[in-house]
Amino acid sequence: MTLRRVNLVILVLLAVAFLIIVQRNLLNLSDFLHKESPDAGLILPFESELSPDLRRESVRKGEEIPVLITAAEDRLGAVVAAMNSIYQNSKANVVFTILTLNDTADHLKLWLSKTSLKNVKHKIIIFKPELLGGKISNDPHTLEAAKPLTFARFYLPAYIPEAEKAIYLDDDVIVQGDIQELYETSLKPGHAAAFSDDCDSASAKGIIRGAGNQNNYIGFLDFKKEAIKKLGMRANTCSFNPGVILANLTEWKNQNITQQLEHWMELNTQEDLYSKTLAESITTPPLLIVFYKRHSAIDPLWHVRHLGNTGAGNRYSAQFVKAAKLLHWNGHYKPWGRTSSFSDVWDKWYVPDPTGRFAPVRRHS
């Protein structure tokens, strides 16, 4: 080999080494700037030239964190915003299981594949409403018939069969903390799930007084019914909100939790066990019964709720909302509507629908 060729090879090797060093520096700078500027969907000018896998997925290593969420057609924007907030605020290896219905799956696939969420690990599973046959009212005008997806949380092990633990989230949430922290919450021995109690320190900051009896068992169950009396539960026991669940799926299966929940669902169709003052939460009563004094606690900051209730959400200070690790707009008023509290926080994580079929409703519109 001539000296000229040797020099040429050396130059090529030096150029390759230089490009590798530059690329690594760009990736490090990208990671630093993302920490400093966590705005959802932010893509730095040079990032578009890098492989998507190198750009964001290089840090998605370690134990998988399964998160189950449901996706109804009229609330798809909520699912997308929740997923985006989780993904952007954590470097954990999150894998989403999204339960939806046949008429929604294609819309959701397109939304995820054509936006900044295309690299998020997920699987879409079709929920079959016939699974609920005989367990809820057949009246098409009831909430049970209209919203079958609300019962998906009862079947967690069926949809995430290989996992030992999993997180269930309602779609009307925004996660501001690192989801790994919630996932690593300790459950007491023998407990199949952890919830955030409605009488916890976060809710006690003067925000649920307008919610009536919705913070204890009597707000959900009819204690005049014999089947409820026999359980020996105290009516003033603090209830919990199942919009955020950390589940030990091994215990869930060993204790036949799903079958226990189905039993109380079926019994309610025969004896009407739910409280007459109940507001919307048809899935909560069976969970309250099955997990009575048999559940662990979630840090209250990991389930700051009632943002969708009139008056309640407005009692939060902006500083408290900013410090919350998970915000939940449970109640009638959703952050993609006109009159919700702190909808600007939700807007930060919303990813527009490429089909234009879903759009937040705002006062000015």
Side-chain angles (χ1 to χ4, degrees), residues 237-311:
T237 300
C238 186
S239 58
F240 54 78
N241 184 299
V244 178
I245 305 173
L246 175 63
N248 180 325
L249 299 184
T250 301
E251 285 291 345
W252 194 291
K253 289 181 281 191
N254 289 342
Q255 297 178 31
N256 296 316
I257 297 296
T258 296
Q259 289 76 13
Q260 292 185 56
L261 293 168
E262 288 182 327
H263 166 74
W264 288 103
M265 290 165 65
E266 292 170 357
L267 196 59
N268 180 65
T269 64
Q270 304 164 21
E271 302 185 27
D272 196 15
L273 303 176
Y274 299 167
S275 170
K276 298 302 181 184
T277 63
L278 183 66
E280 284 197 358
S281 190
I282 54 176
T283 53
T284 301
L287 288 161
L288 291 177
I289 294 172
V290 172
F291 287 104
Y292 179 73
K293 296 189 180 299
R294 294 174 55 214
H295 66 276
S296 297
I298 288 174
D299 181 342
L301 287 178
W302 269 106
H303 195 175
V304 173
R305 46 207 178 277
H306 303 296
L307 273 76
N309 290 328
T310 54

Side-chain angles (χ1 to χ4, degrees), residues 5 11 39 81 105 131 184 229 238 268 274 301 324 334 357:
R5 288 183 178 177
L11 286 172
D39 289 339
L131 182 68
E184 292 175 352
K229 287 182 181 179
C238 186
N268 180 65
Y274 299 167
L301 287 178
K334 302 304 180 184
R357 289 155 61 184

